[in-house]
Amino acid sequence: MKYTHTGPRAQQQGFTLVELGISMVLIASMVLAGFYVVKRIRTDAAINAAIASANVSMNKANAAFSGSDSTAGANLTTLAAMNIWPKERLTISEVKSGTGANAVVVSRAVTNIKGHFRGSEEMMWADGNNSTPANSGFIYHLWRVPQEACLPLIKNMALHPTTRSILAGAHSSTRPVAGYGVGKAAVKTGTGALNFAAAAQACIKDQRVDIAMQFDKS
């Protein structure tokens, strides 16, 4: 005998277009949130590394010149030779005499110290007439750092016991070669406290910021 099913048909299983749209929006939101979380973690890690590295470099510079009355002659090359920065962060240019297999390196100079942020650099040299007496300390540059790293760096650098003056401002494409460079405003002067309002204003000048700090030879 042939039987015919007369009960209600089972409903079709699956997602509607609306449900699929909502799912795609949720997935995209999660991916975007994850991207920003990862970016923030990387930025925070770079800031912490830059702070720790700057303190080490400042202490090493002081140690390197501890037996001298003056910091005259301190520049990228001499300080790098004193192991102020790790070798893997140095960019070195060479001057050669002769060509090919007969070429002989006449001199080497450090032209760049790679920073902890993409595209950033560090510099340090004697402070010259920016201290009294002249050449009694150093000027340390953090050049082309991200805006979000600016104030944390300034705040922590101001805590170093030998720090005196700190200047900051919008990034200048003109790489400094001496002194404080250009386009910066003072956010800490002498032995005075850090001016947080001035520092905040200096840090929001641009998406990239330059910082210069003068610290005494201990």
Side-chain angles (χ1 to χ4, degrees), residues 105-128:
V105 176
V106 176
S107 63
R108 290 185 174 91
V110 176
T111 58
N112 176 21
I113 310 295
K114 183 179 179 181
H116 290 275
F117 309 96
R118 179 176 296 182
S120 69
E121 297 179 26
E122 296 183 11
M123 304 95 168
M124 189 190 297
W125 39 67
D127 57 7

Side-chain angles (χ1 to χ4, degrees), residues 145-157:
V145 301
Q147 183 186 88
E148 59 268 27
C150 178
L151 197 55
L153 286 169
I154 289 175
K155 176 185 174 183
N156 281 275
M157 292 169 75

